[in-house]
């Protein structure tokens, strides 16, 4: 199963790719689709947080069309863009940006005895994206996004036709230049990939597609400085225009959230009493730890079961297990020890290493690359291989809950009315929270996003999400009295914060997405869930609960 992407941006050249990548936020992840590499990043727009995939196709219409088709089938995007450079034919200056209203294939035609007879065809860009491009072109604020802007005349933006073919047109008096003037007279620039890109988009109904080009040279002004100086400038201008468009695009249903309709179900064989813990392992695997410590695993590509381990002993109260997304390992908290179960890849071969736990020492939520335990005195970040302590952080009086980032570099701790955020090599930050029942110790829940970029805290009164680097509140939502009551006495609470700052909450067996909208949106589900997990890349959800099934589906978040 491949992740979904809201947007895919294609480029032909490396400097074009780098110009696009500069606008994306970490974490970056890489996926291989039959040998073609795609890199994922995030972009925060005005109306939505967009998951963006990037790919360098190389030059030419044919290769571009094939790779676009492959990417669309794998990642199911809402919008696709081709961003890069072009040679100006007329009415443009160096550094200007052109969004293609449509693109000519100037090489199509019939080769007769008396000569070549052009039969030029066109493909249109998507109407909605053309409309948005026109709005961005009317407003000069897109220039503010240009990375390392070139000093000189400010670039202009146009929505005009382009021409595409396999030839590098190197002079304004060449045969191809003359053909373009005769048969593509309104095209303002020429390039090599846009027609194949739009042709592939045409074959995939419902996807928005647009080509955006920066002018790197003019047919009458070819020179040695084009590749070294002008191409990077033109590429950065085109990328700035594209991401200003994306910033202003209204979120489609897929990027607003919710669940996708591709649900994969895997049957459990070791269903036991007690809470179950679920997580994603490496190499496209899903893992469930049952209430007796038994471990079951599945291959997400085929749905087939992988070898696990039986259980047979009770688990400790509180958070009972952690699944590592980076190694084939789980940590299981038993009454007197922490059992670290390490599998040899996908095989059934495994070994268990036990680490003693104090009577009041509990497993911490989140983590993955490392794990953590805490008592009343200190939180200990531990290595997943042998459980040895890597770092200790003092606990505040009245500790209610804790959470850590995937690598343990960010540690969050909460009392009933404050959250302490510890970052390696940075000062500790204290945030205030409000609670309706501050006398109750278990009155709040914490979540740190995998990268540590966001910390979320839900009390009986409100939910707050902070950006850790700036300490800014990115979301605050006060709960109604009924919503506060729903949290009282509930077991199996779980709060998860994704790396784009979105929050999912499991309460009383129901999985919800909490936003700043008036209503908490419950997500469609089957049965009552014990636990759920978000894939580290943010694209998959998994849940295990009252049914005999493990459910994994694409989360359009």
């Amino acid at each position: 199963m491949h992740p979904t992407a809201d947007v895919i941006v294609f480029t032909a050249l490396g400097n074009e790719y780098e110009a696009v990548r500069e606008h994306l936020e970490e974490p970056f992840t890489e996926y291989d689709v039959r040998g073609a590499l795609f890199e994922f990043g995030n972009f925060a727009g005005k109306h939505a947080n967009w998951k963006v995939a990037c790919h360098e196709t190389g030059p030419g219409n044919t290769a571009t069309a094939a790779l676009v088709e492959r990417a669309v089938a794998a990642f199911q995007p809402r919008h696709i863009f081709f961003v890069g450079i072009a040679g100006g034919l007329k009415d443009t200056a160096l550094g200007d940006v052109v969004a293609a209203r449509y693109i000519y294939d100037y090489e199509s035609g019939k080769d007769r005895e008396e000569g070549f007879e052009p039969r030029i065809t066109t493909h249109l860009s998507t109407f909605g994206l053309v409309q948005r491009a026109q709005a961005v072109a009317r407003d000069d604020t897109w220039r503010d996004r240009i990375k390392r802007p070139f000093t000189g005349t400010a670039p202009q933006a146009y929505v005009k036709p382009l021409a595409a073919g396999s030839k590098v047109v190197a002079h304004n008096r060449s045969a191809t230049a003359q053909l373009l003037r005769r048969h593509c007279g309104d095209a303002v620039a020429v390039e090599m990939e846009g027609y194949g890109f739009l042709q592939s988009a045409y074959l995939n109904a419902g996807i928005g597609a647009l080509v955006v080009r920066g002018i790197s040279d003019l047919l009458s002004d070819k020179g040695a400085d084009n590749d070294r100086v002008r191409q990077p400038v033109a590429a950065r201008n085109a990328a700035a225009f594209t991401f200003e468009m994306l910033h202003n695009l209204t979120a489609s249903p897929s990027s607003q959230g919710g669940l996708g309709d591709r649900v994969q179900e895997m049957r459990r064989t070791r269903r036991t009493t007690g809470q179950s813990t679920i997580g994603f392992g490496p190499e496209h695997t899903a893992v469930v730890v049952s209430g007796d410590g038994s471990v079951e695993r599945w291959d997400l590509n085929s749905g087939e079961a992988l070898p696990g381990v039986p259980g047979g002993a009770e688990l400790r109260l509180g958070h009972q297990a952690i699944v590592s997304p980076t190694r084939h390992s789980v940590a299981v908290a038993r009454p007197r020890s922490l059992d670290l179960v390490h599998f040899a890849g996908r095989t059934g071969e495994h070994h268990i290493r036990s680490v003693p736990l104090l009577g009041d020492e509990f497993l911490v939520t989140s983590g993955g690359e490392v794990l953590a335990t805490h008592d009343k005195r200190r939180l200990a970040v531990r290595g997943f291989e042998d459980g040895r302590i890597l770092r200790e952080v003092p606990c505040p009086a009245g500790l209610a809950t804790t959470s850590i980032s995937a690598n343990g570099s960010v540690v969050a701790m909460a009392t009933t009315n404050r959250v302490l955020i510890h970052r390696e090599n940075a000062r500790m930050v204290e945030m205030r929270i409000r609670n309706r029942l501050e006398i109750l110790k278990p009155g709040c829940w914490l979540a740190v996003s995998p990268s540590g970029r966001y910390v979320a805290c839900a009390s009986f009164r409100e939910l707050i999400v902070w950006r850790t680097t700036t300490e800014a509140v990115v979301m605050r939502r006060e709960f109604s009295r009924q919503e506060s009551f729903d949290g009282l006495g509930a077991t199996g609470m779980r709060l998860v914060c994704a790396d784009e700052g979105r929050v999912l909450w499991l309460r009383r067996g129901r999985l919800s997405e909490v936003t700043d909208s008036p209503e908490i949106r419950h997500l469609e589900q089957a049965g009552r869930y014990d636990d759920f997990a978000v894939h580290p890349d943010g694209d998959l959800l998994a849940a295990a609960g009252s049914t005999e099934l493990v459910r994994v589906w694409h989360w359009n978040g």
Side-chain angles (χ1 to χ4, degrees):
M1 297 175 69
H2 292 293
T4 56
D6 299 311
V7 176
I8 305 177
V9 181
F10 298 88
T11 69
L13 304 175
N15 54 19
E16 298 167 336
Y17 185 96
E18 290 302 319
V20 169
R21 195 177 188 272
E22 286 181 319
H23 292 268
L24 300 179
E25 293 184 359
E26 295 179 346
F28 292 107
T29 53
E30 190 177 87
Y31 291 92
D32 181 311
V33 183
R34 290 185 289 153
L37 294 179
F38 293 81
E39 190 173 29
F40 276 57
N42 300 292
F43 178 76
K46 183 190 302 183
H47 305 290
N49 294 315
W50 302 93
K51 182 179 292 186
V52 181
C54 303
H55 179 68
E56 182 181 341
T57 65
N61 279 309
T62 303
T64 296
L67 288 165
V68 170
E69 180 67 22
R70 184 180 303 182
V72 168
F75 302 125
Q76 300 186 342
R78 176 59 178 169
H79 302 297
I80 57 177
F81 295 88
F82 204 102
V83 177
I85 62 173
L89 293 174
K90 66 172 190 176
D91 301 334
T92 57
L94 294 173
D96 286 352
V97 172
V98 181
R101 187 179 297 276
Y102 51 86
I103 294 185
Y104 293 105
D105 174 15
Y106 67 78
E107 292 184 312
S108 60
K110 189 171 185 179
D111 196 6
R112 295 179 176 274
E113 180 180 356
E114 56 271 22
F116 180 73
E117 179 184 301
R119 294 182 177 178
I120 292 174
T121 58
T122 63
H123 268 305
L124 297 170
S125 293
T126 306
F127 176 75
L129 292 183
V130 169
Q131 291 290 296
R132 176 54 59 190
Q134 290 177 164
V136 172
R138 289 193 296 266
D139 189 343
D140 293 336
T141 57
W142 68 270
R143 298 173 186 159
D144 297 336
R145 291 188 181 274
I146 299 175
K147 308 293 185 180
R148 304 186 301 279
F150 182 74
T151 57
T153 305
Q156 303 298 313
Y158 306 94
V159 182
K160 299 282 188 180
L162 299 176
S166 61
K167 298 180 177 66
V168 177
V169 187
H171 201 278
N172 63 350
R173 291 195 297 273
S174 67
T176 301
Q178 295 178 48
L179 182 149
L180 290 170
R181 283 192 290 270
R182 285 197 304 268
H183 300 283
C184 310
D186 55 348
V188 299
V190 60
E191 43 103 308
M192 299 176 66
E193 297 82 27
Y195 184 84
F197 169 80
L198 289 181
Q199 185 177 42
S200 186
Y202 171 76
L203 299 175
N204 290 274
I207 294 177
L210 185 71
V211 177
V212 181
R213 297 288 190 174
I215 303 301
S216 63
D217 57 72
L218 306 175
L219 295 190
S220 58
D221 184 25
K222 295 282 187 179
D225 286 341
N226 291 348
D227 291 351
R228 183 176 59 85
V229 177
R230 295 177 181 174
Q231 282 190 4
V233 171
R236 289 196 294 267
N237 293 357
F241 184 91
T242 302
F243 281 94
E244 180 66 12
M245 284 187 58
L246 194 56
H247 175 73
N248 288 284
L249 281 176
T250 302
S252 64
S254 64
S255 60
Q256 287 175 334
L259 300 183
D261 54 7
R262 290 191 293 156
V263 179
Q264 187 177 15
E265 295 182 337
M266 282 125 352
R267 187 164 296 278
R268 300 178 61 185
T269 58
R270 296 192 181 102
R271 175 69 178 168
T272 64
T273 58
Q275 293 286 312
S276 296
T277 300
I278 191 166
F280 290 98
E283 301 180 35
H284 298 290
T285 56
V287 182
V288 168
V289 182
S290 295
D292 63 350
S294 62
V295 180
E296 295 183 82
R297 303 187 297 160
W298 292 268
D299 183 323
L300 290 177
N301 291 321
S302 65
E304 296 180 356
L306 298 172
V309 295
E314 64 178 325
L315 302 188
R316 180 171 287 232
L317 294 176
H319 197 66
Q320 297 176 329
I322 292 288
V323 177
S324 172
T326 58
R327 56 190 302 156
H328 292 284
S329 302
V330 299
V332 181
R334 298 195 182 277
R336 294 181 178 84
S337 67
L338 183 68
D339 288 352
L340 304 174
V341 184
H342 303 298
F343 291 89
R346 292 167 170 258
T347 71
E349 181 183 349
H350 68 277
H351 69 276
I352 300 175
R353 180 159 188 155
S354 293
V355 179
L357 289 182
L358 302 175
D360 62 349
E361 192 170 4
F362 297 93
L363 192 61
V364 174
T365 60
S366 300
E369 298 173 25
V370 298
L371 56 92
T373 60
H374 77 87
D375 54 23
K376 296 179 180 179
R377 178 179 58 85
R378 59 89 174 98
L379 180 147
V381 178
R382 299 174 179 267
F384 223 115
E385 174 62 34
D386 54 10
R388 66 187 177 90
I389 296 176
L390 306 176
R391 176 189 176 204
E392 290 189 333
V393 180
C395 294
L399 178 67
T401 184
T402 60
S403 184
I404 66 172
S405 61
N407 64 4
S409 62
V410 176
V411 173
M413 306 180 184
T415 66
T416 56
N417 55 17
R418 62 192 179 121
V419 174
L420 308 179
I421 302 174
H422 298 264
R423 293 175 292 160
E424 283 187 311
N425 304 318
R427 64 181 179 85
M428 188 269 290
V429 176
E430 180 174 327
M431 304 294 191
R432 303 294 297 180
I433 58 174
R434 298 177 298 166
N435 219 329
R436 293 189 188 277
L437 299 170
E438 297 189 1
I439 61 172
L440 295 180
K441 179 179 177 181
C444 56
W445 297 264
L446 270 181
V448 178
S449 68
S451 69
R453 184 183 303 158
Y454 296 97
V455 173
C457 182
S459 70
F460 284 128
R461 184 167 183 173
E462 64 182 355
L463 181 137
I464 307 177
V465 181
W466 297 278
R467 186 187 290 267
T468 55
T469 53
T470 63
E471 304 171 25
V473 174
V474 297
M475 184 176 73
R476 182 190 295 270
R477 185 193 192 283
E478 184 160 357
F479 296 140
S480 67
R481 289 193 173 273
Q482 181 60 49
E483 290 168 345
S484 298
F485 176 78
D486 287 342
L488 290 173
T491 60
M493 288 281 199
R494 185 75 189 279
L495 193 71
V496 169
C497 184
D499 256 335
E500 66 273 15
R502 304 184 69 180
V503 176
L504 291 171
W505 199 4
L506 181 66
R507 300 187 302 171
R508 298 184 181 272
R510 296 204 65 184
L511 184 56
S512 307
E513 182 179 7
V514 185
T515 66
D516 52 9
S517 64
E519 299 294 330
I520 293 180
R521 187 164 61 89
H522 298 292
L523 304 183
E524 182 182 355
Q525 62 188 69
R528 179 191 181 280
Y529 291 149
D530 287 343
D531 190 33
F532 77 102
V534 177
H535 193 277
D537 298 329
D539 56 280
L540 297 178
L541 283 179
S546 60
T547 69
E548 297 300 316
L549 300 175
V550 172
R551 291 168 60 86
V552 179
W553 59 90
H554 283 274
W555 178 40
N556 297 320

